[in-house]
Amino acid sequence: MVYYKCLEHFDKFGDAEVIYWVDVSGVPERLVDEAKRIDGADYSDGCFGVCIQHDRETGEFAAIEDSPGQNIYYVDNLGEKHWFDYSLSEQELEQIASKIRISMKEDGREN
């Protein structure tokens, strides 16, 4: 299961939408192997993330996909994002959204 690690940064789009860039852990081994193939000796397990959209009007959170079914990315040593075939489960999305809410509240930046 993929877990929230930390909030990397967020982007606000007007008053209605926020995009959260979240570092994650617990990435499936097949994706770890692919990232190792991409980055070789420069591989780092701290370079996986997900992108989460928050609709402030409805309160809903959704995982953003680079292409259909691609929710997780790996940032290589050159700063390029490589998106992988992986769809976050509802449980993973809710756990991440819950941590985003807590993080924003603790930082005084409530949604």
Side-chain angles (χ1 to χ4, degrees):
M1 183 163 151
V2 173
Y3 295 97
Y4 174 99
K5 204 160 125 184
C6 69
L7 178 61
E8 182 186 321
H9 71 277
F10 64 94
D11 301 306
K12 278 187 163 183
F13 297 94
D15 292 332
E17 183 178 304
V18 182
I19 303 294
Y20 297 98
W21 298 87
V22 176
D23 293 344
V24 295
S25 62
V27 175
E29 196 62 36
R30 67 181 174 81
L31 303 182
V32 169
D33 291 343
E34 183 64 16
K36 286 178 179 178
R37 188 191 63 73
I38 290 167
D39 234 5
D42 294 315
Y43 167 79
S44 171
D45 65 355
C47 292
F48 287 97
V50 296
C51 187
I52 305 295
Q53 176 185 12
H54 180 219
D55 183 322
R56 294 175 67 187
E57 292 177 7
T58 66
E60 292 181 20
F61 286 85
I64 292 180
E65 300 177 327
D66 183 58
S67 294
Q70 293 184 335
N71 289 142
I72 291 181
Y73 60 83
Y74 174 79
V75 180
D76 68 21
N77 66 318
L78 299 175
E80 296 291 322
K81 283 187 177 71
H82 300 267
W83 291 81
F84 297 118
D85 288 332
Y86 185 87
S87 294
L88 291 177
S89 70
E90 285 298 318
Q91 182 181 11
E92 289 168 324
L93 178 59
E94 181 50 42
Q95 175 262 141
I96 292 168
S98 174
K99 296 288 188 178
I100 288 171
R101 287 184 200 103
I102 291 167
S103 175
M104 297 305 286
K105 187 174 185 176
E106 287 175 350
D107 290 346
R109 299 178 297 200
E110 287 192 63
N111 304 328

